[in-house]
Amino acid sequence: MAEKEYEYGKGVPMVLNPSMVAIESLVEDIRYRGQLISRNQKLESGVGATGVIGISIGFVIVMIAVLVPPYLMG
């Protein structure tokens, strides 16, 4: 069998710069999705906290709008 002969000490090894474009794009995508999820959770929390008050106020306004005009006409 023929053995390979290696030559040592020839040239300077070059270190390649890693391509970070794909990783940076992925990180930006994850950050964007995280912000969307956070915004959605804040919105749902706000609606859930004020939902009962909003429904109550809406019910009162509708009842006033339905019941008051007949008394004003008669």
Side-chain angles (χ1 to χ4, degrees), residues 2 8 16 19 37 40 44 46 51 54 71 74:
Y8 296 102
L16 299 176
S19 177
I37 291 170
N40 190 29
E44 287 180 2
Y71 289 118

Side-chain angles (χ1 to χ4, degrees), residues 4-71:
K4 292 184 180 180
E5 292 186 23
Y6 296 101
E7 296 181 21
Y8 296 102
K10 294 213 172 192
V12 177
M14 301 294 287
V15 176
L16 299 176
N17 290 334
S19 177
M20 300 296 286
V21 175
I23 294 173
E24 289 173 358
S25 173
L26 186 62
V27 167
E28 286 299 319
D29 186 46
I30 291 170
R31 183 175 292 129
Y32 176 73
R33 289 176 187 225
Q35 289 173 346
L36 286 178
I37 291 170
S38 173
R39 184 183 69 183
N40 190 29
Q41 286 179 339
K42 289 177 185 176
L43 179 64
E44 287 180 2
S45 176
V47 169
T50 60
V52 174
I53 295 171
I55 290 173
S56 301
I57 292 172
F59 180 76
V60 169
I61 291 173
V62 167
M63 294 311 282
I64 290 172
V66 169
L67 296 177
V68 170
Y71 289 118

